[in-house]
Amino acid sequence: MTTTLHLAAEDVAGMSAGANGAVRIELTDAGARRLVTAADRHRAVLQVDQERRAAWLRSLTDTELVELATSRFGGPEPDVMAEGVRRVREALEVMRPALDALRGAGVLEAGRG
C-alpha cells in the first residue's frame, strides 16, 4: 500500500535534494500535524479488520473520506470507493423528491439528473 501526503505551501519550511536522490522536507508545525494526522489515518487503515474498517469508513466525515480517497496513488481502495458511492446514492435518494418535482414542473427533462 502506498499513500500520498498532500502538503500546502504553509506546511513546508524548506526542501533540499541530496546527491543520491533523497529529498529532505522541513515541515512547519502545521505540516507536522498534517503528517501525524495522515499517519494516524494510515495506521487505522492497516489495523482494523474489514468489518471494523467499514464502520470506521462510515464514521468519517465527507471531507475525511475524500482526503482518504485522494491520498492513495492509483486511486482509492475498493472499500473507500464503495463508501463514497453509498453516500452519493444516499444523497440522491434524499434529493429524489425535489428532482421529481422539478421534472414534473418541466424544469428538468426526464432522464437528466
Side-chain angles (χ1 to χ4, degrees), residues 17-31:
N20 64 354
V23 177
R24 178 185 170 110
I25 302 172
E26 297 174 38
L27 299 175
T28 62
D29 288 343

Side-chain angles (χ1 to χ4, degrees), residues 27-108:
L27 299 175
T28 62
D29 288 343
R33 279 191 298 276
R34 188 181 305 266
L35 175 62
V36 168
T37 299
D40 285 345
R41 198 172 280 136
H42 194 71
R43 181 176 33 256
V45 168
L46 296 174
Q47 289 178 344
V48 295
D49 61 31
Q50 202 169 30
E51 184 178 311
R52 287 183 44 212
R53 179 173 158 94
W56 174 72
L57 288 172
R58 285 189 302 274
S59 76
L60 295 177
T61 66
D62 291 340
T63 301
E64 290 170 332
L65 185 66
V66 169
E67 287 176 358
L68 180 61
T70 59
S71 69
R72 184 170 177 263
F73 182 75
E77 293 174 289
D79 61 344
V80 175
M81 179 64 81
E83 176 60 18
V85 169
R86 186 194 68 77
R87 290 183 189 198
V88 169
R89 285 185 177 149
E90 188 175 86
L92 285 172
E93 286 303 313
V94 171
M95 294 185 316
R96 185 177 305 277
L99 293 173
D100 290 344
L102 291 171
R103 281 189 197 99
V107 176
L108 289 178

